[in-house]
Amino acid sequence: MEKFTKWRDPGTGLAPFLQNPFEMPNQKFFFFIFGPILFLIRHLFIFILFITYFIFVHTLLSPVLQPIFPKTIHLIKKIFIGTVLVLCGIFPVYSQMYVHSSENTNIKPKPKDIIVSCCCSPLDILYLTFKYNPVFTISFSNTVLVEHVSGIKAMFYMLSTPKKPSYKNNTTLDNLSKLYPNRIISVFPEGTTSNGRGLLLFTQSLQSVAPQTRIFPLSIKYSHYLATPHPKSLFTFLFRLTFKLSHKIHIKISKTPIISSNYQEELDETVSISLSKLSKIPRVNLGVDEKIAFLEAWKTYKKY
């Protein structure tokens, strides 16, 4: 892979855009015997649940009832997503939370707050929807604007090539918080997926928050082989997710939020450092633009 050394961070030596290899379990006999059975059964039920969710919850119920009965819609989503998580053997583990200050506080996110997390795979979207039912956004390079998307669209964005902002339908995080005063907002400031081994450079999206906004860094960590740094990797992701008996997700969220100030340029650095410490991964000097260039080179490489 010497061809791709230019997309390896010089400071850490990490290559955050390369797909992680699949980790084979120690008991390979049981893996090859029961793996295909788990794969087929889980895919059947996931397909049924997804179609049911998309038709009845996403298309029919959510647009009508979300503004009126948000807790009811969230409960319905939790039932569907919780079933998928249990079906795939995913059990979140909540670890000790990182504290920004010396104050012994335990503040939880509430409506109009912002949750900032890494961007690695559709599992991030599933967990955030299950726990918080937030307003999802997509961040872009070289702009403070974000795109408001549904949870399903956010999941598929995790499996696609980063795109340039359209500007037509984009807005600021400040406007979104005013438009959805009863919802938490989810931001993936990296703007694209990585393999989970390093924190990418942040886009400028956090600079569009209003002063005094509470920002909660959130770490969602799982086995690196479940990350989807390459586009069109849905089948690979589903195979790795459903073939193994179980997976663990480690969740950490800051006890004390970061409060945005009038000096928004410093906010990116503060949140990035906090998320890096919380996730226990180093920051790398690569971002969305480098990811796009890498994928172009990777596409050419795969042709030969």
Side-chain angles (χ1 to χ4, degrees), residues 58-294:
H58 180 76
T59 306
L60 298 178
L61 295 180
S62 190
V64 178
L65 299 181
Q66 178 69 54
I68 308 172
F69 304 108
K71 292 184 178 180
T72 302
I73 292 298
H74 187 199
L75 177 61
I76 295 173
K77 289 181 178 180
K78 288 190 76 168
I79 293 173
F80 273 91
I81 296 174
T83 303
V84 172
L85 294 177
V86 172
L87 184 65
C88 294
I90 298 174
F91 305 97
V93 176
Y94 297 89
S95 305
Q96 181 65 37
M97 301 177 186
Y98 174 76
V99 185
H100 297 288
S101 66
S102 58
E103 299 177 7
N104 187 19
T105 57
N106 187 3
I107 304 173
K108 296 182 179 180
K110 64 180 183 179
K112 299 188 75 172
D113 289 343
I114 289 178
I115 289 179
V116 171
S117 55
C118 296
C119 187
C120 293
S121 85
L123 278 180
D124 301 326
I125 307 298
L126 284 176
Y127 173 77
L128 287 169
T129 304
F130 175 79
K131 184 68 176 179
Y132 300 106
N133 190 30
V135 173
F136 287 105
T137 62
I138 295 175
S139 300
F140 304 97
S141 176
N142 302 317
T143 179
V144 300
L145 301 179
V146 297
E147 181 181 349
H148 170 213
V149 296
S150 65
I152 291 179
K153 188 172 181 179
M155 287 180 63
F156 282 105
Y157 187 77
M158 298 283 186
L159 302 164
S160 63
T161 303
K163 61 181 182 179
K164 295 182 179 180
S166 62
Y167 295 106
K168 183 179 179 181
N169 299 318
N170 294 353
T171 184
T172 64
L173 293 173
D174 184 19
N175 287 338
L176 270 182
S177 65
K178 294 175 182 176
L179 190 61
Y180 298 95
N182 299 318
R183 304 277 297 278
I184 293 171
I185 297 176
S186 172
V187 179
F188 301 101
E190 295 168 289
T192 186
T193 54
S194 71
N195 58 17
R197 297 187 181 276
L199 184 64
L200 304 181
L201 292 173
F202 278 12
T203 60
Q204 302 170 11
S205 57
L206 287 177
Q207 296 180 22
S208 68
V209 301
Q212 302 305 307
T213 299
R214 304 196 312 173
I215 301 173
F216 288 84
L218 172 70
S219 169
I220 307 175
K221 294 194 71 175
Y222 37 82
S223 299
H224 290 306
Y225 61 79
L226 290 175
T228 56
H230 290 185
K232 300 179 181 179
S233 55
L234 177 60
F235 180 78
T236 302
F237 170 72
L238 289 176
F239 170 81
R240 295 180 173 190
L241 179 67
T242 57
F243 236 73
K244 293 191 74 172
L245 183 61
S246 63
H247 312 272
K248 284 186 178 180
I249 298 183
H250 293 272
I251 311 296
K252 289 183 183 179
I253 187 168
S254 173
K255 283 185 177 180
T256 55
I258 297 171
I259 308 297
S260 62
S261 65
N262 293 322
Y263 302 98
Q264 302 293 54
E265 293 78 8
E266 301 175 359
L267 184 61
D268 290 341
E269 184 73 5
T270 303
V271 178
S272 178
I273 292 173
S274 175
L275 188 57
S276 174
K277 290 181 178 180
L278 192 67
S279 304
K280 295 183 178 179
I281 56 175
R283 298 193 297 164
V284 298
N285 196 32
L286 300 167
V288 180
D289 294 333
E290 289 77 16
K291 171 74 174 287
I292 294 173
F294 167 83

